[in-house]
Amino acid sequence: MPGLGKKYGIEIEVISKPKNEYITDEYFATDLPLAPAVMVADEVVVEGKDVTEKELESVICRHLGIKESKGFLGRLFKRSQ
């Protein structure tokens, strides 16, 4: 995730707590998703499982209103078509 933050010039905040803190009444009252979870702004990207970097990058790009980077192979295949 830090690589995506640097790539798109955005702040990535990682919150890590002991598992016990995610199952308290106080945590449930926050209306935050169950861990593990990933949010972009107020959008819950995934809850209760991992997310691929590709999926996360897609959501970040949509949130920023930009086209997703295709990477080297995407650019290479686009040129050859």
Side-chain angles (χ1 to χ4, degrees):
M1 285 191 288
L4 289 175
K6 188 178 233 184
K7 181 177 181 177
Y8 292 103
I10 58 173
E11 181 181 335
I12 302 285
E13 180 181 2
V14 176
I15 300 171
S16 180
K17 300 178 183 188
K19 192 174 184 175
N20 294 355
E21 290 187 36
Y22 290 108
I23 55 174
T24 64
D25 290 337
E26 291 82 16
Y27 183 79
F28 286 116
T30 66
D31 285 329
L32 290 172
L34 296 176
V38 175
M39 293 178 70
V40 174
D42 292 332
E43 178 182 349
V44 177
V45 177
V46 66
E47 181 177 12
K49 63 179 185 170
D50 291 331
V51 65
T52 68
E53 185 173 328
K54 178 81 171 142
E55 291 169 314
L56 182 56
E57 185 171 14
S58 178
V59 173
I60 289 170
C61 289
R62 186 175 70 243
H63 176 73
L64 294 174
I66 60 175
K67 288 188 177 185
E68 185 176 342
S69 171
K70 297 293 184 186
F72 173 74
L73 290 177
R75 290 189 304 267
L76 178 67
F77 287 119
K78 186 174 184 178
R79 284 187 202 145
S80 65
Q81 292 178 350

